[in-house]
Short mmCIF file of all heavy atoms in Angstrom, two decimals:
data_model
loop_
_atom_site.label_atom_id
_atom_site.label_comp_id
_atom_site.label_asym_id
_atom_site.label_seq_id
_atom_site.Cartn_x
_atom_site.Cartn_y
_atom_site.Cartn_z
N MET A 25 -15.60 52.67 -36.27
CA MET A 25 -15.22 51.38 -35.75
C MET A 25 -15.50 50.30 -36.79
O MET A 25 -16.56 50.26 -37.39
CB MET A 25 -16.02 51.11 -34.47
CG MET A 25 -15.64 49.83 -33.80
SD MET A 25 -16.41 49.76 -32.17
CE MET A 25 -17.16 48.17 -32.28
N THR A 26 -14.54 49.42 -36.99
CA THR A 26 -14.66 48.34 -37.95
C THR A 26 -15.46 47.20 -37.33
O THR A 26 -15.24 46.83 -36.18
CB THR A 26 -13.28 47.82 -38.35
OG1 THR A 26 -12.51 48.91 -38.81
CG2 THR A 26 -13.37 46.78 -39.42
N ARG A 27 -16.38 46.66 -38.11
CA ARG A 27 -17.15 45.52 -37.62
C ARG A 27 -16.27 44.29 -37.64
O ARG A 27 -15.39 44.14 -38.46
CB ARG A 27 -18.36 45.30 -38.52
CG ARG A 27 -19.36 46.43 -38.43
CD ARG A 27 -20.54 46.20 -39.29
NE ARG A 27 -21.20 44.95 -38.90
CZ ARG A 27 -22.15 44.37 -39.61
NH1 ARG A 27 -22.56 44.90 -40.73
NH2 ARG A 27 -22.70 43.26 -39.20
N GLN A 28 -16.53 43.37 -36.73
CA GLN A 28 -15.75 42.14 -36.67
C GLN A 28 -16.49 41.03 -37.42
O GLN A 28 -17.67 41.16 -37.73
CB GLN A 28 -15.48 41.72 -35.24
CG GLN A 28 -16.72 41.44 -34.43
CD GLN A 28 -16.38 41.18 -32.97
OE1 GLN A 28 -15.29 41.42 -32.54
NE2 GLN A 28 -17.35 40.69 -32.24
N LEU A 29 -15.78 39.97 -37.72
CA LEU A 29 -16.40 38.83 -38.39
C LEU A 29 -17.54 38.30 -37.53
O LEU A 29 -17.40 38.18 -36.31
CB LEU A 29 -15.38 37.70 -38.58
CG LEU A 29 -14.43 37.81 -39.75
CD1 LEU A 29 -13.42 36.66 -39.69
CD2 LEU A 29 -15.16 37.78 -41.05
N PRO A 30 -18.66 37.97 -38.16
CA PRO A 30 -19.77 37.42 -37.39
C PRO A 30 -19.39 36.06 -36.79
O PRO A 30 -18.83 35.22 -37.49
CB PRO A 30 -20.89 37.25 -38.41
CG PRO A 30 -20.43 37.89 -39.65
CD PRO A 30 -18.97 38.12 -39.56
N LYS A 31 -19.67 35.90 -35.52
CA LYS A 31 -19.34 34.64 -34.84
C LYS A 31 -20.49 33.67 -35.04
O LYS A 31 -21.53 33.79 -34.39
CB LYS A 31 -19.12 34.89 -33.35
CG LYS A 31 -18.77 33.63 -32.58
CD LYS A 31 -18.64 33.92 -31.11
CE LYS A 31 -18.37 32.65 -30.34
NZ LYS A 31 -18.35 32.89 -28.91
N SER A 32 -20.31 32.73 -35.96
CA SER A 32 -21.37 31.75 -36.17
C SER A 32 -20.83 30.54 -36.90
O SER A 32 -19.83 30.60 -37.62
CB SER A 32 -22.53 32.34 -36.96
OG SER A 32 -22.17 32.52 -38.31
N LEU A 33 -21.51 29.44 -36.73
CA LEU A 33 -21.17 28.21 -37.43
C LEU A 33 -21.42 28.39 -38.93
O LEU A 33 -20.68 27.86 -39.75
CB LEU A 33 -22.01 27.05 -36.89
CG LEU A 33 -21.74 25.68 -37.46
CD1 LEU A 33 -20.28 25.29 -37.25
CD2 LEU A 33 -22.65 24.65 -36.82
N HIS A 34 -22.42 29.19 -39.28
CA HIS A 34 -22.72 29.45 -40.69
C HIS A 34 -21.55 30.14 -41.38
O HIS A 34 -21.20 29.79 -42.50
CB HIS A 34 -23.99 30.30 -40.81
CG HIS A 34 -24.33 30.64 -42.22
ND1 HIS A 34 -24.81 29.71 -43.10
CD2 HIS A 34 -24.23 31.80 -42.90
CE1 HIS A 34 -25.00 30.29 -44.27
NE2 HIS A 34 -24.65 31.56 -44.18
N THR A 35 -20.91 31.09 -40.71
CA THR A 35 -19.76 31.79 -41.29
C THR A 35 -18.64 30.81 -41.58
O THR A 35 -18.03 30.84 -42.65
CB THR A 35 -19.25 32.88 -40.32
OG1 THR A 35 -20.31 33.78 -40.04
CG2 THR A 35 -18.09 33.65 -40.92
N ILE A 36 -18.38 29.90 -40.65
CA ILE A 36 -17.33 28.90 -40.84
C ILE A 36 -17.70 27.97 -42.00
O ILE A 36 -16.86 27.68 -42.85
CB ILE A 36 -17.09 28.10 -39.54
CG1 ILE A 36 -16.49 29.03 -38.48
CG2 ILE A 36 -16.16 26.91 -39.80
CD1 ILE A 36 -16.35 28.40 -37.11
N SER A 37 -18.95 27.54 -42.06
CA SER A 37 -19.38 26.65 -43.14
C SER A 37 -19.24 27.29 -44.51
O SER A 37 -18.77 26.66 -45.46
CB SER A 37 -20.85 26.24 -42.94
OG SER A 37 -20.99 25.53 -41.75
N VAL A 38 -19.63 28.55 -44.61
CA VAL A 38 -19.52 29.26 -45.89
C VAL A 38 -18.05 29.39 -46.29
O VAL A 38 -17.68 29.16 -47.45
CB VAL A 38 -20.20 30.65 -45.81
CG1 VAL A 38 -19.86 31.50 -47.02
CG2 VAL A 38 -21.70 30.48 -45.67
N LEU A 39 -17.18 29.75 -45.33
CA LEU A 39 -15.75 29.86 -45.63
C LEU A 39 -15.17 28.53 -46.09
O LEU A 39 -14.41 28.48 -47.06
CB LEU A 39 -14.99 30.37 -44.41
CG LEU A 39 -15.11 31.86 -44.11
CD1 LEU A 39 -14.45 32.17 -42.77
CD2 LEU A 39 -14.47 32.68 -45.22
N VAL A 40 -15.52 27.45 -45.40
CA VAL A 40 -14.99 26.12 -45.76
C VAL A 40 -15.47 25.72 -47.15
O VAL A 40 -14.68 25.26 -47.98
CB VAL A 40 -15.40 25.06 -44.71
CG1 VAL A 40 -15.12 23.66 -45.20
CG2 VAL A 40 -14.66 25.32 -43.40
N ASN A 41 -16.76 25.89 -47.43
CA ASN A 41 -17.29 25.49 -48.73
C ASN A 41 -16.72 26.31 -49.88
O ASN A 41 -16.37 25.76 -50.93
CB ASN A 41 -18.82 25.57 -48.73
CG ASN A 41 -19.44 24.48 -47.89
OD1 ASN A 41 -18.86 23.40 -47.74
ND2 ASN A 41 -20.59 24.75 -47.32
N LEU A 42 -16.59 27.62 -49.70
CA LEU A 42 -16.02 28.47 -50.74
C LEU A 42 -14.54 28.15 -50.93
O LEU A 42 -14.04 28.09 -52.06
CB LEU A 42 -16.23 29.94 -50.42
CG LEU A 42 -15.75 30.94 -51.47
CD1 LEU A 42 -16.34 30.64 -52.85
CD2 LEU A 42 -16.11 32.36 -51.06
N THR A 43 -13.83 27.90 -49.84
CA THR A 43 -12.41 27.54 -49.93
C THR A 43 -12.24 26.23 -50.68
O THR A 43 -11.37 26.11 -51.55
CB THR A 43 -11.79 27.44 -48.53
OG1 THR A 43 -11.93 28.71 -47.88
CG2 THR A 43 -10.32 27.08 -48.59
N ARG A 44 -13.08 25.24 -50.39
CA ARG A 44 -13.03 23.96 -51.11
C ARG A 44 -13.25 24.18 -52.61
O ARG A 44 -12.57 23.58 -53.44
CB ARG A 44 -14.12 23.02 -50.60
CG ARG A 44 -13.66 22.12 -49.56
CD ARG A 44 -14.66 20.98 -49.39
NE ARG A 44 -14.57 20.54 -48.02
CZ ARG A 44 -15.54 20.57 -47.14
NH1 ARG A 44 -16.73 21.00 -47.49
NH2 ARG A 44 -15.36 20.17 -45.92
N HIS A 45 -14.22 25.02 -52.93
CA HIS A 45 -14.51 25.32 -54.33
C HIS A 45 -13.30 25.95 -55.02
O HIS A 45 -12.94 25.57 -56.14
CB HIS A 45 -15.72 26.26 -54.41
CG HIS A 45 -16.06 26.67 -55.80
ND1 HIS A 45 -16.65 25.82 -56.70
CD2 HIS A 45 -15.87 27.84 -56.45
CE1 HIS A 45 -16.81 26.46 -57.85
NE2 HIS A 45 -16.34 27.69 -57.72
N LEU A 46 -12.65 26.88 -54.33
CA LEU A 46 -11.48 27.55 -54.92
C LEU A 46 -10.28 26.60 -55.04
O LEU A 46 -9.48 26.72 -55.96
CB LEU A 46 -11.09 28.77 -54.08
CG LEU A 46 -12.09 29.93 -54.12
CD1 LEU A 46 -11.73 30.97 -53.08
CD2 LEU A 46 -12.14 30.55 -55.51
N MET A 47 -10.17 25.65 -54.12
CA MET A 47 -9.06 24.69 -54.17
C MET A 47 -9.24 23.71 -55.33
O MET A 47 -8.26 23.24 -55.90
CB MET A 47 -8.97 23.91 -52.86
CG MET A 47 -8.46 24.73 -51.70
SD MET A 47 -8.55 23.87 -50.13
CE MET A 47 -7.41 22.51 -50.39
N GLY A 48 -10.47 23.44 -55.70
CA GLY A 48 -10.74 22.47 -56.75
C GLY A 48 -10.94 23.10 -58.12
O GLY A 48 -11.09 22.41 -59.11
N GLY A 49 -10.94 24.41 -58.19
CA GLY A 49 -11.17 25.10 -59.45
C GLY A 49 -9.95 25.10 -60.35
O GLY A 49 -8.92 24.48 -60.05
N PRO A 50 -10.05 25.81 -61.46
CA PRO A 50 -8.95 25.84 -62.44
C PRO A 50 -7.65 26.42 -61.86
O PRO A 50 -6.56 26.01 -62.27
CB PRO A 50 -9.47 26.74 -63.55
CG PRO A 50 -10.87 27.07 -63.23
CD PRO A 50 -11.19 26.57 -61.86
N ALA A 51 -7.75 27.34 -60.92
CA ALA A 51 -6.54 27.94 -60.34
C ALA A 51 -5.88 26.99 -59.35
O ALA A 51 -4.67 27.06 -59.14
CB ALA A 51 -6.87 29.26 -59.67
N ALA A 52 -6.66 26.11 -58.72
CA ALA A 52 -6.18 25.12 -57.75
C ALA A 52 -5.27 25.73 -56.69
O ALA A 52 -4.10 25.41 -56.57
CB ALA A 52 -5.49 23.96 -58.45
N TYR A 53 -5.83 26.64 -55.91
CA TYR A 53 -5.10 27.28 -54.82
C TYR A 53 -4.81 26.30 -53.70
O TYR A 53 -5.55 25.34 -53.51
CB TYR A 53 -5.93 28.42 -54.22
CG TYR A 53 -6.18 29.58 -55.13
CD1 TYR A 53 -7.46 29.87 -55.60
CD2 TYR A 53 -5.15 30.43 -55.51
CE1 TYR A 53 -7.69 30.96 -56.41
CE2 TYR A 53 -5.38 31.52 -56.33
CZ TYR A 53 -6.65 31.78 -56.78
OH TYR A 53 -6.88 32.84 -57.58
N ASP A 54 -3.76 26.58 -52.90
CA ASP A 54 -3.55 25.81 -51.68
C ASP A 54 -4.56 26.34 -50.65
O ASP A 54 -5.22 27.34 -50.87
CB ASP A 54 -2.11 25.95 -51.18
CG ASP A 54 -1.76 27.38 -50.82
OD1 ASP A 54 -1.47 28.17 -51.75
OD2 ASP A 54 -1.78 27.69 -49.63
N ALA A 55 -4.69 25.66 -49.52
CA ALA A 55 -5.75 25.97 -48.54
C ALA A 55 -5.67 27.41 -48.02
O ALA A 55 -6.68 28.10 -47.95
CB ALA A 55 -5.70 24.99 -47.39
N GLU A 56 -4.49 27.87 -47.67
CA GLU A 56 -4.37 29.21 -47.09
C GLU A 56 -4.66 30.30 -48.12
O GLU A 56 -5.34 31.28 -47.82
CB GLU A 56 -2.99 29.40 -46.46
CG GLU A 56 -2.84 28.61 -45.19
CD GLU A 56 -1.57 28.96 -44.44
OE1 GLU A 56 -1.08 30.09 -44.58
OE2 GLU A 56 -1.08 28.08 -43.72
N THR A 57 -4.16 30.13 -49.34
CA THR A 57 -4.42 31.11 -50.39
C THR A 57 -5.89 31.11 -50.75
O THR A 57 -6.50 32.17 -50.94
CB THR A 57 -3.56 30.81 -51.64
OG1 THR A 57 -2.19 30.76 -51.25
CG2 THR A 57 -3.75 31.85 -52.71
N ALA A 58 -6.48 29.92 -50.82
CA ALA A 58 -7.91 29.82 -51.13
C ALA A 58 -8.75 30.49 -50.03
O ALA A 58 -9.74 31.16 -50.32
CB ALA A 58 -8.31 28.37 -51.30
N MET A 59 -8.33 30.34 -48.77
CA MET A 59 -9.06 30.97 -47.67
C MET A 59 -8.97 32.49 -47.78
O MET A 59 -9.96 33.20 -47.59
CB MET A 59 -8.51 30.50 -46.32
CG MET A 59 -9.23 31.09 -45.12
SD MET A 59 -10.97 30.64 -44.97
CE MET A 59 -10.84 28.91 -44.62
N LYS A 60 -7.79 33.01 -48.10
CA LYS A 60 -7.64 34.46 -48.28
C LYS A 60 -8.51 34.96 -49.42
O LYS A 60 -9.14 36.01 -49.31
CB LYS A 60 -6.17 34.81 -48.56
CG LYS A 60 -5.29 34.67 -47.35
CD LYS A 60 -3.84 34.98 -47.68
CE LYS A 60 -2.94 34.67 -46.51
NZ LYS A 60 -1.53 34.85 -46.84
N GLN A 61 -8.57 34.19 -50.50
CA GLN A 61 -9.43 34.57 -51.63
C GLN A 61 -10.90 34.53 -51.23
O GLN A 61 -11.68 35.40 -51.61
CB GLN A 61 -9.18 33.63 -52.82
CG GLN A 61 -7.86 33.83 -53.50
CD GLN A 61 -7.78 35.19 -54.19
OE1 GLN A 61 -8.76 35.75 -54.64
NE2 GLN A 61 -6.58 35.73 -54.24
N ALA A 62 -11.30 33.51 -50.47
CA ALA A 62 -12.69 33.40 -50.01
C ALA A 62 -13.06 34.60 -49.14
O ALA A 62 -14.14 35.17 -49.29
CB ALA A 62 -12.89 32.09 -49.24
N LEU A 63 -12.16 34.98 -48.24
CA LEU A 63 -12.43 36.15 -47.39
C LEU A 63 -12.56 37.42 -48.23
O LEU A 63 -13.43 38.26 -47.97
CB LEU A 63 -11.31 36.33 -46.36
CG LEU A 63 -11.29 35.31 -45.23
CD1 LEU A 63 -9.96 35.37 -44.49
CD2 LEU A 63 -12.45 35.54 -44.29
N ARG A 64 -11.73 37.54 -49.26
CA ARG A 64 -11.80 38.71 -50.12
C ARG A 64 -13.10 38.71 -50.92
O ARG A 64 -13.78 39.74 -51.02
CB ARG A 64 -10.61 38.73 -51.09
CG ARG A 64 -10.51 40.01 -51.90
CD ARG A 64 -9.38 39.96 -52.90
NE ARG A 64 -9.51 38.86 -53.86
CZ ARG A 64 -10.35 38.86 -54.91
NH1 ARG A 64 -11.14 39.87 -55.12
NH2 ARG A 64 -10.39 37.82 -55.72
N ILE A 65 -13.50 37.57 -51.46
CA ILE A 65 -14.74 37.46 -52.22
C ILE A 65 -15.94 37.84 -51.37
O ILE A 65 -16.86 38.52 -51.82
CB ILE A 65 -14.90 36.04 -52.80
CG1 ILE A 65 -13.86 35.82 -53.91
CG2 ILE A 65 -16.30 35.79 -53.31
CD1 ILE A 65 -13.71 34.38 -54.34
N LEU A 66 -15.94 37.38 -50.10
CA LEU A 66 -17.06 37.66 -49.20
C LEU A 66 -16.96 39.04 -48.53
O LEU A 66 -17.81 39.40 -47.72
CB LEU A 66 -17.13 36.58 -48.11
CG LEU A 66 -17.43 35.18 -48.62
CD1 LEU A 66 -17.23 34.16 -47.51
CD2 LEU A 66 -18.84 35.10 -49.19
N LYS A 67 -15.90 39.77 -48.88
CA LYS A 67 -15.65 41.11 -48.33
C LYS A 67 -15.51 41.08 -46.80
O LYS A 67 -15.98 41.95 -46.09
CB LYS A 67 -16.73 42.09 -48.76
CG LYS A 67 -16.75 42.28 -50.25
CD LYS A 67 -17.72 43.30 -50.71
CE LYS A 67 -17.56 43.37 -52.21
NZ LYS A 67 -18.47 44.12 -52.91
N LEU A 68 -14.86 40.03 -46.33
CA LEU A 68 -14.59 39.87 -44.90
C LEU A 68 -13.11 40.03 -44.59
O LEU A 68 -12.70 39.92 -43.44
CB LEU A 68 -15.05 38.49 -44.42
CG LEU A 68 -16.53 38.16 -44.58
CD1 LEU A 68 -16.79 36.71 -44.19
CD2 LEU A 68 -17.38 39.09 -43.75
N ASP A 69 -12.31 40.30 -45.61
CA ASP A 69 -10.86 40.32 -45.43
C ASP A 69 -10.35 41.47 -44.59
O ASP A 69 -9.27 41.38 -44.01
CB ASP A 69 -10.14 40.29 -46.78
CG ASP A 69 -10.55 41.43 -47.70
OD1 ASP A 69 -11.64 41.99 -47.51
OD2 ASP A 69 -9.77 41.76 -48.61
N GLU A 70 -11.10 42.53 -44.46
CA GLU A 70 -10.63 43.67 -43.66
C GLU A 70 -11.29 43.74 -42.28
O GLU A 70 -11.04 44.67 -41.53
CB GLU A 70 -10.86 44.97 -44.43
CG GLU A 70 -10.00 45.04 -45.67
CD GLU A 70 -10.07 46.37 -46.36
OE1 GLU A 70 -10.60 47.32 -45.78
OE2 GLU A 70 -9.58 46.44 -47.50
N MET A 71 -12.11 42.75 -41.97
CA MET A 71 -12.75 42.72 -40.65
C MET A 71 -11.85 42.00 -39.66
O MET A 71 -11.23 41.00 -40.00
CB MET A 71 -14.09 41.99 -40.72
CG MET A 71 -15.15 42.70 -41.48
SD MET A 71 -16.68 41.77 -41.36
CE MET A 71 -17.80 42.91 -42.11
N PRO A 72 -11.76 42.51 -38.43
CA PRO A 72 -10.96 41.80 -37.42
C PRO A 72 -11.59 40.45 -37.08
O PRO A 72 -12.81 40.31 -37.06
CB PRO A 72 -10.97 42.73 -36.21
CG PRO A 72 -12.03 43.73 -36.46
CD PRO A 72 -12.35 43.74 -37.92
N ASP A 73 -10.76 39.47 -36.84
CA ASP A 73 -11.21 38.11 -36.53
C ASP A 73 -10.94 37.82 -35.05
O ASP A 73 -10.03 37.07 -34.71
CB ASP A 73 -10.48 37.12 -37.43
CG ASP A 73 -10.98 35.70 -37.28
OD1 ASP A 73 -12.01 35.49 -36.62
OD2 ASP A 73 -10.32 34.79 -37.80
N ASN A 74 -11.73 38.42 -34.18
CA ASN A 74 -11.53 38.28 -32.74
C ASN A 74 -11.82 36.88 -32.22
O ASN A 74 -11.38 36.51 -31.13
CB ASN A 74 -12.40 39.28 -31.98
CG ASN A 74 -12.01 40.71 -32.30
OD1 ASN A 74 -10.90 40.98 -32.72
ND2 ASN A 74 -12.94 41.63 -32.10
N TYR A 75 -12.57 36.09 -32.97
CA TYR A 75 -12.94 34.75 -32.52
C TYR A 75 -12.14 33.65 -33.20
O TYR A 75 -12.46 32.47 -33.07
CB TYR A 75 -14.44 34.50 -32.75
CG TYR A 75 -15.32 35.50 -32.03
CD1 TYR A 75 -16.02 36.47 -32.73
CD2 TYR A 75 -15.42 35.48 -30.64
CE1 TYR A 75 -16.81 37.39 -32.07
CE2 TYR A 75 -16.21 36.39 -29.98
CZ TYR A 75 -16.91 37.35 -30.70
OH TYR A 75 -17.68 38.26 -30.05
N ASN A 76 -11.11 34.02 -33.98
CA ASN A 76 -10.27 33.06 -34.71
C ASN A 76 -11.09 32.15 -35.62
O ASN A 76 -10.82 30.95 -35.72
CB ASN A 76 -9.43 32.22 -33.75
CG ASN A 76 -8.46 33.06 -32.98
OD1 ASN A 76 -7.88 34.00 -33.51
ND2 ASN A 76 -8.27 32.73 -31.72
N LEU A 77 -12.08 32.72 -36.29
CA LEU A 77 -12.93 31.92 -37.16
C LEU A 77 -12.18 31.40 -38.38
O LEU A 77 -12.45 30.29 -38.84
CB LEU A 77 -14.16 32.73 -37.61
CG LEU A 77 -15.11 33.16 -36.50
CD1 LEU A 77 -16.28 33.92 -37.06
CD2 LEU A 77 -15.60 31.95 -35.73
N VAL A 78 -11.23 32.18 -38.89
CA VAL A 78 -10.46 31.72 -40.05
C VAL A 78 -9.64 30.49 -39.66
O VAL A 78 -9.59 29.50 -40.41
CB VAL A 78 -9.56 32.85 -40.59
CG1 VAL A 78 -8.63 32.33 -41.67
CG2 VAL A 78 -10.41 34.00 -41.11
N GLU A 79 -9.02 30.53 -38.50
CA GLU A 79 -8.26 29.38 -38.02
C GLU A 79 -9.16 28.17 -37.84
O GLU A 79 -8.80 27.06 -38.22
CB GLU A 79 -7.58 29.73 -36.70
CG GLU A 79 -6.71 28.64 -36.13
CD GLU A 79 -6.09 29.03 -34.81
OE1 GLU A 79 -5.77 30.21 -34.62
OE2 GLU A 79 -5.93 28.14 -33.95
N LYS A 80 -10.34 28.38 -37.28
CA LYS A 80 -11.29 27.27 -37.08
C LYS A 80 -11.76 26.72 -38.42
O LYS A 80 -11.93 25.51 -38.57
CB LYS A 80 -12.47 27.74 -36.24
CG LYS A 80 -12.08 28.02 -34.80
CD LYS A 80 -13.21 28.60 -34.02
CE LYS A 80 -12.74 28.97 -32.61
NZ LYS A 80 -13.73 29.69 -31.84
N ALA A 81 -11.97 27.59 -39.39
CA ALA A 81 -12.39 27.14 -40.72
C ALA A 81 -11.29 26.32 -41.38
O ALA A 81 -11.57 25.30 -42.02
CB ALA A 81 -12.78 28.34 -41.59
N LEU A 82 -10.03 26.76 -41.25
CA LEU A 82 -8.92 25.99 -41.81
C LEU A 82 -8.79 24.62 -41.13
O LEU A 82 -8.52 23.62 -41.80
CB LEU A 82 -7.60 26.77 -41.69
CG LEU A 82 -7.40 27.88 -42.72
CD1 LEU A 82 -6.20 28.73 -42.35
CD2 LEU A 82 -7.26 27.32 -44.11
N LEU A 83 -8.98 24.57 -39.81
CA LEU A 83 -8.95 23.29 -39.11
C LEU A 83 -10.06 22.36 -39.60
O LEU A 83 -9.84 21.17 -39.83
CB LEU A 83 -9.09 23.50 -37.59
CG LEU A 83 -7.87 24.04 -36.87
CD1 LEU A 83 -8.22 24.38 -35.42
CD2 LEU A 83 -6.73 23.05 -36.92
N GLN A 84 -11.25 22.92 -39.78
CA GLN A 84 -12.38 22.14 -40.29
C GLN A 84 -12.09 21.64 -41.70
O GLN A 84 -12.35 20.49 -42.03
CB GLN A 84 -13.66 22.98 -40.28
CG GLN A 84 -14.88 22.29 -40.82
CD GLN A 84 -15.33 21.14 -39.96
OE1 GLN A 84 -15.10 21.12 -38.76
NE2 GLN A 84 -15.96 20.16 -40.56
N LEU A 85 -11.52 22.50 -42.51
CA LEU A 85 -11.17 22.12 -43.88
C LEU A 85 -10.15 20.98 -43.88
O LEU A 85 -10.32 19.99 -44.60
CB LEU A 85 -10.61 23.33 -44.63
CG LEU A 85 -10.23 23.11 -46.07
CD1 LEU A 85 -11.46 22.85 -46.91
CD2 LEU A 85 -9.48 24.32 -46.59
N ASN A 86 -9.12 21.11 -43.07
CA ASN A 86 -8.09 20.06 -42.99
C ASN A 86 -8.66 18.76 -42.45
O ASN A 86 -8.30 17.68 -42.90
CB ASN A 86 -6.92 20.51 -42.12
CG ASN A 86 -6.10 21.59 -42.79
OD1 ASN A 86 -6.07 21.67 -44.01
ND2 ASN A 86 -5.45 22.40 -42.00
N ARG A 87 -9.58 18.85 -41.49
CA ARG A 87 -10.19 17.66 -40.91
C ARG A 87 -11.00 16.91 -41.96
O ARG A 87 -10.95 15.68 -42.04
CB ARG A 87 -11.11 18.07 -39.76
CG ARG A 87 -11.00 17.16 -38.59
CD ARG A 87 -11.87 17.58 -37.43
NE ARG A 87 -11.25 18.71 -36.72
CZ ARG A 87 -11.92 19.73 -36.24
NH1 ARG A 87 -13.23 19.80 -36.34
NH2 ARG A 87 -11.31 20.70 -35.61
N THR A 88 -11.75 17.63 -42.78
CA THR A 88 -12.60 16.96 -43.78
C THR A 88 -11.79 16.49 -44.99
O THR A 88 -12.14 15.50 -45.59
CB THR A 88 -13.74 17.88 -44.24
OG1 THR A 88 -13.19 19.08 -44.75
CG2 THR A 88 -14.69 18.18 -43.11
N GLU A 89 -10.71 17.20 -45.31
CA GLU A 89 -9.88 16.80 -46.46
C GLU A 89 -9.05 15.56 -46.15
O GLU A 89 -8.71 14.81 -47.04
CB GLU A 89 -8.95 17.94 -46.86
CG GLU A 89 -9.66 19.16 -47.40
CD GLU A 89 -10.40 18.88 -48.71
OE1 GLU A 89 -9.81 18.23 -49.59
OE2 GLU A 89 -11.55 19.30 -48.82
N ASN A 90 -8.70 15.34 -44.88
CA ASN A 90 -7.85 14.22 -44.49
C ASN A 90 -8.62 12.98 -44.07
O ASN A 90 -8.03 12.04 -43.57
CB ASN A 90 -6.89 14.65 -43.37
CG ASN A 90 -5.90 15.69 -43.84
OD1 ASN A 90 -5.55 15.71 -45.01
ND2 ASN A 90 -5.47 16.53 -42.94
N LYS A 91 -9.95 12.99 -44.26
CA LYS A 91 -10.74 11.81 -43.92
C LYS A 91 -10.44 10.69 -44.89
O LYS A 91 -10.31 10.92 -46.09
CB LYS A 91 -12.23 12.14 -44.01
CG LYS A 91 -12.84 12.62 -42.75
CD LYS A 91 -14.33 12.70 -42.90
CE LYS A 91 -14.97 13.07 -41.60
NZ LYS A 91 -16.40 13.24 -41.74
N PRO A 92 -10.34 9.46 -44.38
CA PRO A 92 -10.07 8.31 -45.28
C PRO A 92 -11.26 7.96 -46.13
O PRO A 92 -12.36 8.25 -45.91
CB PRO A 92 -9.72 7.18 -44.33
CG PRO A 92 -10.13 7.60 -42.97
CD PRO A 92 -10.34 9.08 -43.01
#
């Protein structure tokens, strides 16, 4: 049985921070590609996301990026 993504605020925070880092780096990925790369780096890309944490992390990322 495959383990699922851990349901926690810490998981979302780590994903958002790593995604931000990847978006601002030399490769300058867009948000979705950076999120996929972050999941791969953290070795979470093959775990089922039953709690929609990736979606929540992307929403959090968009919310903080669009602040005036």
Side-chain angles (χ1 to χ4, degrees):
M25 183 169 129
T26 305
R27 293 181 59 191
Q28 61 186 12
L29 279 175
K31 180 183 177 185
S32 73
L33 183 58
H34 178 71
T35 303
I36 293 173
S37 297
V38 169
L39 283 173
V40 168
N41 289 331
L42 183 54
T43 300
R44 266 196 209 119
H45 177 73
L46 292 170
M47 288 173 64
Y53 294 113
D54 62 280
E56 288 189 28
T57 304
M59 181 63 68
K60 288 178 187 175
Q61 289 293 330
L63 287 166
R64 188 184 59 76
I65 290 167
L66 296 170
K67 297 184 178 171
L68 299 175
D69 57 338
E70 294 187 12
M71 291 184 172
D73 186 10
N74 297 337
Y75 301 109
N76 296 322
L77 296 181
V78 173
E79 182 181 326
K80 291 174 185 173
L82 282 170
L83 286 172
Q84 178 67 28
L85 181 68
N86 289 334
R87 221 178 283 141
T88 57
E89 294 296 315
N90 294 330
K91 268 189 175 176

